Amino acid sequence: MMACLLEAPLRISVLSEVTATSRHYVDRLFDPDPQNVLQGVIDMKNAVIGNNRQKANLIVLGAVPRLLYLLQQSSSSLELRTECAVVLGSLAMGTENNIKSLVDCHIIPALLEGLLCSDLIFIEACLRCLRTVFISPVTPVQLLYTDPTVIPHLMSLLSRSQHTQEYITQIFAHCCKTPEHQTVLFNHGAIQNIAPLLISPSYKLRMQALKCFSVLAYENAQVSMTLVNVLVDGEQLSQVFVRMLQRDKPIEMQLTAAKCLTYMCRAGAIRTDDNSIVLKTLPCLVRMCSKERLLEERVEGAETLAFLMEPDIELQRIASVTDHLVSMLADYFKYPSSVSAITDIKRLDHDLKHAHELRQAAFKLYASLGSNDEDIRKKITETENMMDRIVSGLSESSIKVRLAAVRCLHSLSRSVQQLRTSFHDHAVWKPLMKLLQNAPDEVLVMASSTLCNLLLEFSPSKEPILESGVIELLCSLTQSDSPALRVNGIWALMNMAFQADQKVKVEIVRALGTEQLFRLLSDPDTNVLMKTLGLLRNLLSTRPHIDQVMSSHGKQIMQAVTLILEGEHSIEVKEQTLCILANIADGNTAKELIMTNDDMLQKIKYYMGHSNVKLQLAATFCISNLIWNEEDGEELRTRGFCGGSQERQDKLREMGFVDILHKLTQASDPNLCDRAKTAMQQYLA
């Protein structure tokens, strides 16, 4: 019992002792004798090296504002100012909380101001501390760009010494996060100033310069196009990068050089069939995916490779047969296993925490590999347990893994064969529907894109998805603020309505509501408008369906058609709208809505004489359907309509349609010519 009582006061006294000794360091910073202050700062420097507790204590006791004050005082000796910068740099080497405290005390503007001094040793001390602060994830990188004079000044300091080069390139590599940052650095001569460092004798410096180029070139055509023409010591920059890819170079260098070449290629500065890509970059990135590499190297290698070949089917085909890549990626899901050869316990702990990153990278790479080629998709789905892995990936706790898994699924869902086989066998639609319930927008976009493919008419998943009450969910997507989600919602409904039975069509119209349908027909996004027209076209197919939809919504639909045909829309939009009109003209009762609307008939006439063949063809379809001689005369007359095909034909002749058709039988476009001849024959029948 005694021991327990003693323990607590003992701990407190030890802590207060530490704080007391720390207090003594801070007190000395306020000594009236400058020599004592200098000695106090030097002693403090020696006390904090490698001692995180001591660093934290000094920060709590207010050492930072005093050190910054001394650093900024012009009356302080250069030696004192330099030692203050060194101590601050050491405090920054501690925990993230230390960095937060330093940033809150406005260390960054104070150090940046220090760079205006002419003394090199002081400048290097300030830069070293700035580097440590800026490479921390908790520091807002924007602070480097607040004052527009900072970047040009840093550029001018680059040539002062090897240390200034090392710290400044490291700062640039860490603080270039947005297109705006890339532009600022580019405009102030980053490329010309940093390129010579790629052939520096110092490996550290070559590496930092390389990292700078990878962040500058990422998704940036201006930078990439400039890099192609840069010469370093008479050699093209891209060739310098290729040399850095060689197997005898450190892995970090190979990977970063591969990134630079990848980004230049994706920006269009290097062709995808260039040897530097096909024979050097791609094989290097595939090597990075092998079991022998560290976890982070495998992640970075796979993600960069996925990005490199994303738009290019040839690179996808080459990669798929390089070093058994497809089966090599299967190992990403088995790592680290209980029998891992990792003897370093720290490493094992780290890898267990980060194993999800491997799964995410593998899904991304599979998505990229399978985005175009049917044989590659087959190869992927036949890899051991692949579909099960994707299904479990869809419900992982990590949002990034879920997103990558759904991207992979989307890529594979472009295959008719996979939709009919593995997708059906694994009931992929169930976890996909679950994912759609409450996910962030980026996951929703991918998941709903995949759902669009699962709802195609030849997909066996279409029926069970329909029965699961998906229509309400899709209708809610059409109300999203995100154009991509509105497109996918309406696209899925369009696929669902294709050759659907009347019950499904009625349900879609009911759930969507006519108001929302017509809101989508005036959507500012052309893709949304096109898919909505596609939905309408699918709803208005087969005569009984056309007549039923038009009897309840005819007025509004005709109004919408009028607005689109009169508006400033693309040829594609107008063509789709005329096709809807042709479907309406094919109805039994629905065609009267056109025949009794002279304004609409004039519009059809106008488009038959349009300069664009597609619009002429679609308009001629409308007339062809209106003329069509079914045995409909009797029935329609008895129901009070203006008559059957004979009356329609007479009215259309009076309006000059026969003359136009006659002219079109001489059209140079064979399809248009045939369509006009068919229509003329119906007149003569």
Side-chain angles (χ1 to χ4, degrees):
M1 195 62 193
M2 286 299 289
C4 292
L5 282 173
L6 274 171
E7 195 178 17
L10 223 165
R11 285 234 301 277
I12 291 165
S13 65
V14 168
L15 192 63
S16 56
E17 227 172 89
V18 172
T19 317
T21 56
S22 305
R23 163 75 60 204
H24 147 78
Y25 287 118
V26 178
D27 291 344
R28 288 170 70 189
L29 300 180
F30 293 88
D31 194 294
D33 181 348
Q35 209 41 50
N36 288 347
V37 174
L38 175 63
Q39 195 51 54
V41 174
I42 292 170
D43 290 347
M44 186 185 278
K45 173 180 75 178
N46 295 329
V48 295
I49 291 173
N51 186 337
N52 273 352
R53 177 175 286 188
Q54 185 68 279
K55 289 175 188 178
N57 283 335
L58 289 170
I59 289 171
V60 169
L61 292 167
V64 177
R66 183 62 183 170
L67 287 167
L68 285 172
Y69 172 79
L70 296 169
L71 177 115
Q72 289 173 286
Q73 281 305 95
S74 52
S75 56
S76 299
S77 69
L78 253 177
E79 191 183 357
L80 174 59
R81 293 173 74 192
T82 306
E83 291 294 351
C84 286
V86 172
V87 174
L88 288 164
S90 196
L91 293 176
M93 290 279 194
T95 62
E96 287 184 354
N97 280 338
N98 292 9
I99 299 262
K100 277 183 188 154
S101 306
L102 293 172
V103 172
D104 291 344
C105 290
H106 307 293
I107 189 173
I108 291 173
L111 291 169
L112 289 171
E113 201 181 312
L115 299 179
L116 299 170
C117 172
S118 58
D119 182 79
L120 181 60
I121 294 174
F122 177 59
I123 287 174
E124 287 179 351
C126 288
L127 279 173
R128 189 182 308 116
C129 184
L130 276 167
R131 180 272 318 264
T132 307
V133 172
F134 272 121
I135 65 175
S136 164
V138 297
T139 306
V141 294
Q142 204 47 44
L143 293 172
L144 185 66
Y145 303 92
T146 316
D147 177 346
T149 63
V150 168
I151 300 293
H153 185 60
L154 287 171
M155 291 293 177
S156 70
L157 291 175
L158 260 174
S159 55
R160 288 290 299 270
S161 73
Q162 195 173 314
H163 285 307
T164 63
Q165 289 172 336
E166 186 190 319
Y167 304 142
I168 292 171
T169 48
Q170 210 173 344
I171 290 169
F172 287 164
H174 270 273
C175 296
C176 183
K177 303 280 188 202
T178 68
E180 292 73 38
H181 298 163
Q182 290 173 328
T183 304
V184 172
L185 292 169
F186 176 82
N187 289 344
H188 286 108
I191 293 177
Q192 305 83 301
N193 284 305
I194 296 170
L197 307 182
L198 287 169
I199 51 171
S200 156
S202 152
Y203 170 74
K204 220 178 196 174
L205 207 45
R206 292 200 301 279
M207 217 30 248
Q208 289 309 334
L210 195 55
K211 283 182 179 167
C212 275
F213 283 126
S214 84
V215 292
L216 281 167
Y218 179 64
E219 292 194 328
N220 192 311
Q222 185 187 31
V223 171
S224 297
M225 291 299 185
T226 308
L227 290 179
V228 176
N229 301 313
V230 172
L231 292 177
V232 183
D233 205 18
E235 186 180 21
Q236 274 192 318
L237 188 62
S238 55
Q239 284 313 301
V240 177
F241 292 152
V242 167
R243 269 214 328 278
M244 292 174 154
L245 288 177
Q246 289 166 356
R247 289 167 185 262
D248 59 343
K249 297 286 186 288
I251 295 296
E252 178 190 32
M253 181 173 270
Q254 290 184 45
L255 241 177
T256 315
K259 276 183 169 177
C260 291
L261 289 159
T262 293
Y263 300 157
M264 288 166 73
C265 177
R266 279 300 305 265
I270 302 176
R271 287 168 53 110
T272 51
D273 58 1
D274 191 276
N275 282 349
S276 64
I277 299 297
V278 178
L279 302 179
K280 302 288 181 185
T281 309
L282 187 143
C284 168
L285 290 169
V286 173
R287 284 202 303 276
M288 296 301 146
C289 299
S290 82
K291 259 186 190 160
E292 284 65 57
R293 301 270 54 89
L294 291 174
L295 177 137
E296 44 272 42
E297 293 160 0
R298 293 168 80 186
V299 169
E300 225 172 306
E303 293 195 337
T304 308
L305 181 54
F307 184 66
L308 171 65
M309 61 187 182
E310 200 172 11
D312 193 273
I313 188 165
E314 268 318 302
L315 288 179
Q316 290 158 13
R317 284 176 178 152
I318 295 165
S320 72
V321 294
T322 304
D323 290 352
H324 308 291
L325 178 64
V326 175
S327 52
M328 195 190 320
L329 283 177
D331 290 331
Y332 276 45
F333 296 95
K334 306 174 196 165
Y335 180 89
S337 68
S338 51
V339 293
S340 280
I342 306 178
T343 45
D344 176 354
I345 201 75
K346 236 180 177 176
R347 181 82 224 175
L348 183 63
D349 183 52
H350 167 274
D351 285 6
L352 283 166
K353 283 187 187 129
H354 294 269
H356 67 276
E357 291 175 24
L358 272 179
R359 296 193 290 280
Q360 177 198 339
F363 283 139
K364 273 189 190 170
L365 187 43
Y366 276 137
S368 190
L369 270 170
S371 56
N372 292 294
D373 187 286
E374 196 57 47
D375 293 336
I376 300 175
R377 290 187 195 124
K378 191 167 184 290
K379 210 170 173 179
I380 293 170
T381 48
E382 286 171 358
T383 305
E384 47 178 324
N385 308 335
M386 193 57 215
M387 293 308 287
D388 294 333
R389 286 186 177 133
I390 295 175
V391 167
S392 58
L394 292 175
S395 53
E396 275 209 32
S397 57
S398 157
I399 183 78
K400 287 182 170 175
V401 177
R402 291 207 297 278
L403 179 59
V406 80
R407 270 177 68 176
C408 182
L409 195 62
H410 178 246
S411 184
L412 298 172
S413 74
R414 293 185 178 136
S415 155
V416 177
Q417 190 194 1
Q418 297 312 324
L419 284 174
R420 283 184 169 151
T421 54
S422 42
F423 273 59
H424 185 51
D425 300 342
H426 291 82
V428 167
W429 65 271
K430 285 182 183 169
L432 191 65
M433 289 289 290
K434 198 170 161 208
L435 193 61
L436 279 162
Q437 299 309 323
N438 52 353
D441 274 9
E442 52 180 347
V443 174
L444 270 181
V445 169
M446 268 299 147
S448 52
S449 289
T450 311
L451 195 63
C452 287
N453 293 343
L454 289 175
L455 286 167
L456 289 164
E457 81 278 10
F458 48 74
S459 160
S461 309
K462 183 174 180 175
E463 279 311 308
I465 293 174
L466 267 175
E467 286 158 20
S468 73
V470 72
I471 295 178
E472 298 286 349
L473 176 83
L474 295 174
C475 292
S476 69
L477 288 184
T478 69
Q479 296 176 9
S480 164
D481 291 337
S482 149
L485 284 176
R486 292 203 301 280
V487 167
N488 287 348
I490 204 77
W491 194 341
L493 289 169
M494 179 187 94
N495 287 350
M496 194 183 279
F498 182 75
Q499 292 181 353
D501 57 36
Q502 186 65 357
K503 191 171 82 139
V504 173
K505 289 182 180 180
V506 168
E507 180 55 26
I508 290 174
V509 176
R510 187 204 59 74
L512 193 58
T514 42
E515 247 180 71
Q516 176 61 3
L517 183 63
F518 297 114
R519 203 175 295 130
L520 291 165
L521 283 171
S522 54
D523 198 284
D525 188 286
T526 308
N527 287 330
V528 175
L529 176 55
M530 279 297 280
K531 293 291 176 264
T532 310
L533 291 169
L535 168 64
L536 204 48
R537 194 173 162 182
N538 287 348
L539 290 171
L540 294 166
S541 62
T542 77
R543 285 200 187 111
H545 296 182
I546 295 168
D547 291 335
Q548 190 177 352
V549 173
M550 292 307 287
S551 68
S552 48
H553 305 292
K555 198 176 157 205
Q556 294 129 304
I557 289 175
M558 292 301 282
Q559 226 173 341
V561 166
T562 305
L563 281 172
I564 293 170
L565 291 177
E566 286 176 355
E568 292 290 316
H569 290 290
S570 67
I571 298 291
E572 287 72 29
V573 167
K574 294 201 167 179
E575 181 193 15
Q576 186 79 303
T577 309
L578 286 166
C579 289
I580 289 172
L581 208 50
N583 282 10
I584 296 169
D586 193 36
N588 285 329
T589 55
K591 52 165 54 87
E592 289 307 319
L593 287 162
I594 302 174
M595 285 309 301
T596 54
N597 184 336
D598 286 5
D599 176 46
M600 188 60 82
L601 289 170
Q602 290 298 344
K603 284 188 171 54
I604 296 172
K605 194 169 163 184
Y606 164 76
Y607 282 110
M608 283 174 79
H610 199 277
S611 57
N612 185 285
V613 173
K614 284 181 174 177
L615 297 184
Q616 283 182 290
L617 198 57
T620 308
F621 253 111
C622 293
I623 288 303
S624 192
N625 283 348
L626 288 174
I627 301 166
W628 192 253
N629 185 1
E630 290 269 327
E631 294 306 315
D632 55 5
E634 269 316 301
E635 183 206 350
L636 291 177
R637 263 197 297 276
T638 58
R639 284 160 59 181
F641 286 101
C642 75
S645 55
Q646 193 54 56
E647 283 86 341
R648 290 198 303 274
Q649 290 181 6
D650 292 346
K651 180 173 180 176
L652 295 171
R653 178 180 278 115
E654 279 164 34
M655 289 183 72
F657 278 100
V658 177
D659 300 339
I660 299 174
L661 282 173
H662 195 71
K663 242 188 241 161
L664 291 179
T665 57
Q666 311 298 312
S668 56
D669 182 83
N671 291 335
L672 184 55
C673 178
D674 288 351
R675 175 50 53 191
K677 281 179 183 167
T678 310
M680 284 299 284
Q681 279 162 2
Q682 283 161 235
Y683 251 106
L684 304 169

